[in-house]
């Protein structure tokens, strides 16, 4: 028999100007998961984040493209592991919950585990930015309606992934909307999601959030809109077609009524506009059907790619000899 396969765990910490908290974060995670490798990706910090993280025992790398999405993309590409733990460097998420969150991954019950800040009320109690709480609720409602799901925390930064998810997710976002994109991707591709409540704590005094309520809120909504269009094209273009159809009726009904009464059409511009709106409605619906077929084929290809990726990993070849 060959050597036992030892699971590799990577703790991924994207950082931008976190010198006040990064030392504690790295040390907490090295203590909570001594078998894991802690990676800190410095995203053009103007302080001593990278130096402090290295002294605390983390492997420090640099990502020059600004934005959390760009950092996560590089992390998933560069780091080879079986379990990926993604947290922030601001000391808001408890390292003590790591093993609890990892359990569904280890037992093959989940592809992504979400650290849920909202269920126990800790986020609302600790967070000093009420508009962020409102934004979380609004985006959660939109996504749950769109994908017929029942997730509680869409935008948490505390997540754990298996290798299959991390290595096959196409990351398009550049900024803080990356968490929303991960959730949407998992829902659309039928990855298994498990949510576990955690205690959230606000940033310590002197640490400044990089989030901007309105700018990042608009980015998140744009991401939801793009995902709706890209992954639910039939529903999206049916909605667009319905709008054109209703407008066409509003403009066209007086023309039809006039023709029935007088057998003549005096409102030529209205008639042309009504016909144009109806053509747009028909075209939108046709586009929806065509794109829905393409998306369905893409999902089939993605499933085949996942299967191929799974069999290429040594974990599946030696799964009866895993040592943890």
């Amino acid at each position: 028999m060959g050597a036992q396969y030892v699971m590799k765990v990577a703790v991924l910490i994207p950082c931008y100007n976190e010198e006040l908290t990064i030392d504690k974060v790295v040390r907490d995670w090295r203590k909570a998961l001594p078998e894991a490798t802690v990676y800190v990706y410095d995203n053009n910090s103007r302080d001593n984040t990278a130096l402090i993280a290295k002294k605390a025992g983390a492997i420090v790398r640099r990502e020059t493209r600004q934005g959390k999405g760009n950092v996560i993309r590089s992390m998933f590409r560069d780091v080879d592991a079986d379990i990926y733990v993604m947290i922030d460097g601001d000391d808001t998420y408890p390292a003590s919950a790591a093993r609890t969150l990892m359990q569904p991954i280890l037992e093959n019950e989940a592809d992504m585990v979400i650290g849920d800040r909202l269920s126990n009320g800790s986020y609302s109690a600790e967070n000093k930015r009420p508009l962020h709480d409102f934004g979380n609720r609004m985006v959660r409602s939109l996504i749950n309606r769109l994908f017929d799901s029942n997730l509680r925390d869409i935008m948490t930064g505390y997540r754990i992934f298996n290798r299959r998810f991390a290595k096959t997710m196409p990351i398009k976002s550049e900024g803080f909307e990356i968490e929303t994109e991960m959730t949407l991707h998992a829902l659309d591709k039928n990855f298994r999601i498990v949510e576990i409540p955690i205690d959230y704590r606000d940033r310590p005094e002197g640490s400044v959030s990089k989030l901007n309520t309105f700018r990042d809120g608009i980015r998140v909504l744009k991401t939801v809109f793009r995902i709706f269009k890209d992954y639910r094209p039939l529903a999206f273009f049916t909605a667009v077609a319905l709008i054109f159809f209703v407008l066409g009726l509003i403009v066209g009904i007086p023309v039809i009524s006039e023709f029935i009464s007088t057998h003549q059409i005096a409102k030529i511009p209205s008639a042309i506009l009504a016909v144009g709106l109806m053509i747009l409605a028909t075209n939108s619906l046709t586009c929806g059907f065509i794109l829905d077929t393409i998306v369905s084929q893409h999902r089939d290809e993605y499933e085949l790619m996942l299967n191929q990726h799974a069999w290429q990993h040594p974990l599946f070849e030696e799964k009866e000899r895993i040592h943890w």
Side-chain angles (χ1 to χ4, degrees):
M1 293 180 63
Q4 289 182 322
Y5 183 84
V6 180
M7 270 196 178
K8 293 181 287 186
V9 181
V11 177
L12 309 179
I13 311 176
C15 280
Y16 174 63
N17 294 338
E18 300 289 3
E19 66 177 4
L20 292 179
T21 56
I22 192 60
D23 178 76
K24 181 178 182 300
V25 171
V26 172
R27 294 184 187 279
D28 284 352
W29 281 91
R30 293 188 67 198
K31 180 180 179 180
L33 296 176
E35 72 278 12
T37 304
V38 179
Y39 296 87
V40 170
Y41 273 58
D42 179 47
N43 195 205
N44 302 315
S45 295
R46 295 189 297 271
D47 59 13
N48 294 317
T49 295
L51 180 62
I52 294 173
K54 187 174 182 178
K55 288 183 178 180
I59 296 176
V60 179
R61 295 175 180 173
R62 188 182 180 202
E63 172 54 57
T64 58
R65 294 169 295 182
Q66 197 65 39
K68 187 175 182 179
N70 290 322
V71 178
I72 299 301
R73 182 187 300 109
S74 293
M75 286 177 160
F76 281 179
R77 288 177 179 175
D78 299 346
V79 177
D80 183 65
D82 299 298
I83 298 177
Y84 296 80
V85 181
M86 187 186 85
I87 51 101
D88 293 334
D90 54 10
D91 195 30
T92 56
Y93 297 115
S96 58
R99 294 203 181 275
T100 301
L101 269 67
M102 285 171 57
Q103 203 60 35
I105 300 289
L106 291 170
E107 295 177 357
N108 197 29
E109 296 176 352
D111 299 296
M112 177 172 69
V113 178
I114 294 174
D116 172 19
R117 308 162 296 172
L118 305 181
S119 291
N120 60 11
S122 62
Y123 185 76
S124 298
E126 292 289 332
N127 183 42
K128 305 303 188 294
R129 296 158 295 180
L131 285 178
H132 281 256
D133 200 14
F134 170 77
N136 268 287
R137 292 195 301 269
M138 182 180 67
V139 172
R140 177 182 61 194
S141 177
L142 284 172
I143 292 176
N144 282 335
R145 286 179 178 273
L146 182 60
F147 288 91
D148 192 27
S149 58
N150 190 32
L151 296 178
R152 298 182 296 272
D153 194 352
I154 302 294
M155 302 167 68
T156 178
Y158 195 169
R159 296 168 186 260
I160 300 182
F161 316 94
N162 61 16
R163 178 186 177 89
R164 181 170 63 168
F165 185 94
K167 290 299 185 183
T168 61
M169 179 181 171
I171 296 177
K172 299 178 182 178
S173 301
E174 295 184 353
F176 283 97
E177 66 272 25
I178 178 62
E179 287 95 352
T180 306
E181 182 181 7
M182 287 176 170
T183 302
L184 291 167
H185 176 75
L187 288 169
D188 181 71
K189 296 302 188 296
N190 291 318
F191 282 105
R192 298 163 300 172
I193 304 174
V194 172
E195 288 185 300
I196 297 177
I198 60 168
D199 291 324
Y200 174 89
R201 54 180 179 261
D202 204 15
R203 284 172 169 268
E205 186 176 354
S207 179
V208 180
S209 173
K210 316 306 183 300
L211 295 174
N212 180 287
T213 299
F214 298 102
R215 181 195 64 203
D216 294 314
I218 291 173
R219 285 182 176 178
V220 168
L221 290 177
K222 285 172 63 178
T223 300
V224 174
F225 177 84
R226 176 176 59 80
I227 295 293
F228 186 20
K229 174 179 66 69
D230 292 347
Y231 295 117
R232 292 288 188 271
L234 183 57
F236 178 84
F237 284 100
T238 297
V240 173
L242 184 61
I243 293 172
F244 283 131
F245 180 77
V246 171
L247 291 175
L249 285 180
I250 293 173
V251 176
I253 286 177
V255 177
I256 295 173
S257 299
E258 179 188 47
F259 179 77
I260 293 174
S261 301
T262 65
H263 298 288
Q264 292 181 351
I265 297 178
K267 301 176 180 178
I268 301 297
S270 295
I272 295 173
L273 177 59
V275 171
L277 289 170
M278 290 300 181
I279 290 174
L280 289 174
T282 302
N283 288 344
S284 294
L285 192 60
T286 302
C287 286
F289 279 112
I290 294 172
L291 292 175
D292 187 66
T293 301
I294 294 173
V295 168
S296 179
Q297 292 176 346
H298 173 71
R299 290 195 183 101
D300 292 341
E301 293 172 358
Y302 188 85
E303 287 293 326
L304 293 174
M305 183 269 292
L306 285 180
N307 292 338
Q308 182 180 12
H309 180 270
W311 284 107
Q312 290 175 346
H313 191 256
L315 175 60
F316 288 84
E317 297 175 5
E318 306 188 32
K319 60 183 178 181
E320 295 182 355
R321 295 184 277 116
I322 294 177
H323 171 70
W324 176 247

